[in-house]
Amino acid sequence: MNKPATQKTHELKTHPEAFQAVEYGVKMAEFRKNDRDFAVGDILILRDYDPKTEQYSGKFIKRLVTHIQTGYGIPDGYVMLSMSTIRYSPFL
């Protein structure tokens, strides 16, 4: 698979509970405000962030956006991002 011409990388704060669920493989989607023009093929860098201490832990997870859902009860301006683990690719 070739790298999409317009692929972007998005660094996102992720609260510890959600980060851990992604880390363990039980959370495969992110509900987000679509203020970054997300697209299929983009890379998400989810950074473990504690809102109580306003500090990053230093842990992060990379995921590939595989699908974007709008409508169907999702408020305008928001998206549900399906994501998958990134397998090695020289393009990512």
Side-chain angles (χ1 to χ4, degrees), residues 25-49:
V26 296
K27 184 175 187 286
M28 302 301 292
E30 277 287 310
F31 179 74
R32 292 281 176 160
K33 186 173 185 176
N34 194 16
D35 57 354
R36 298 167 179 255
D37 196 28
F38 295 106
V40 170
D42 284 356
I43 301 297
L44 304 179
I45 298 178
L46 305 175
R47 298 185 64 208
D48 187 24
Y49 177 80

Side-chain angles (χ1 to χ4, degrees), residues 40-61:
V40 170
D42 284 356
I43 301 297
L44 304 179
I45 298 178
L46 305 175
R47 298 185 64 208
D48 187 24
Y49 177 80
D50 188 339
K52 293 175 188 168
T53 62
E54 298 183 351
Q55 298 289 317
Y56 291 98
S57 73
K59 296 191 307 183
F60 68 92
I61 299 171

